[in-house]
């Protein structure tokens, strides 16, 4: 099948953002007088639940922290709004960089007429902050569909955000390739029918990526021409 569009995950795939997410969560917890502090080892476990609000709820239920039991869904949502604001400030004022090979791969897609899209569980405003900070203010327009947490009833590993993106692109899944860094992301892409290339990230490098088309250390090691040839020859699980 021809490769018509590439659909990128954001966190961990375009950039190593999860440490910034973790610090933003901890800052907001502190400001709310909560005694929670998510360390890297705990955060790795918590990342199995996608979505910041869902992760906070899971933390309260699975770890029963002191001060956690009385938090309502509304309070969690309000704290998450503050966390999103803090994350954006950290991204736009800090030294956030794209992962190696990402800018070149996106440029190659644009040069070769391969359409671009995003499928992420994070909030849309975080995507905008990351793209404009790293790729420039015009870059949002390069992506024909930006599916974010707001668009998906169920977050990854459910296929919802990919299905939303496919509908926006008006393309069948077999014409698209997903790029992900986590097994949750791979499952979402595969469940929506897309072939999936994986570039594992800091928090996901020891995960199992069964079903992926290819696993590469980063996009620096991946040739778009090679992928297009493989998919055209029907090696994408079509
Ligand atoms: C990323 C996530 C997100 C971020 C935090 O998963 O799970 O929840 O950790 O962002 P993916 P929010 O890379 O599969 O999109 O707090 O905005 O949810
Ligand atoms: Mg990811």
């Amino acid at each position: 099948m021809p490769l018509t569009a590439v659909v990128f995950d954001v966190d961990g795939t375009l950039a190593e953002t999860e440490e910034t997410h973790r610090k933003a969560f901890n800052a907001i917890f502190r400001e709310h007088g909560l005694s929670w502090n998510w360390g890297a080892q705990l955060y790795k476990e918590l990342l199995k639940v996608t979505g910041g609000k869902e992760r906070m709820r899971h933390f309260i239920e699975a770890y029963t922290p002191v001060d956690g039991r009385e938090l309502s869904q509304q309070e969690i949502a309000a704290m998450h709004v503050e966390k999103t604001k803090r994350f954006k400030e950290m991204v736009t004022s800090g030294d956030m960089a794209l992962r190696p090979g990402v800018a070149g791969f996106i440029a190659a897609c644009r040069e070769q007429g391969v359409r671009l899209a995003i499928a992420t569980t994070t909030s849309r405003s975080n995507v905008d902050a990351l793209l404009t900070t790293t790729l420039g203010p015009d870059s949002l327009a390069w992506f024909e569909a930006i599916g974010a947490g707001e668009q998906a009833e169920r977050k990854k590993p459910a296929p919802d955000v990919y299905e939303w993106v496919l509908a926006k692109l008006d393309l069948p899944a077999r014409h698209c390739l997903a790029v992900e860094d986590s097994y949750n992301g791979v499952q979402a892409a595969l469940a929506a029918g897309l072939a999936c290339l994986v570039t594992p990230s800091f928090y996901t490098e020891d995960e199992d990526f069964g079903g992926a088309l290819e696993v590469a250390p980063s996009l620096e090691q991946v040739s778009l021409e090679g992928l297009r040839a493989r998919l055209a020859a029907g090696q994408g699980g079509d």
Side-chain angles (χ1 to χ4, degrees), residues 9-13 17-18 21-22 25 43 46-56 80 83-84 87 119-124 126 149 155-156 161-162 180-182 184-186 188:
D9 169 51
V10 174
D11 293 307
T13 299
T17 49
E18 287 298 355
H21 281 296
R22 186 174 71 83
F25 279 117
Y43 196 63
L46 295 175
L47 275 175
K48 290 181 181 138
V49 175
T50 58
K53 292 190 285 290
E54 293 80 355
R55 190 167 302 143
M56 286 165 67
H80 190 255
K83 177 262 164 182
T84 300
F87 175 84
T120 178
T121 64
T122 201
S123 310
R124 171 63 198 257
N126 290 344
K155 292 188 173 153
K156 298 174 188 176
V161 71
Y162 277 103
E180 282 281 357
D181 71 303
S182 70
N184 272 326
V186 173

Side-chain angles (χ1 to χ4, degrees), residues 28 46 49 62-63 75 90 121 129 133 170 179 184 189-191 207 215:
I28 300 307
L46 295 175
V49 175
Y63 294 81
E75 284 170 301
M90 290 164 85
T121 64
T133 303
D170 196 20
V179 185
N184 272 326
L190 295 184
E207 289 186 2
V215 181

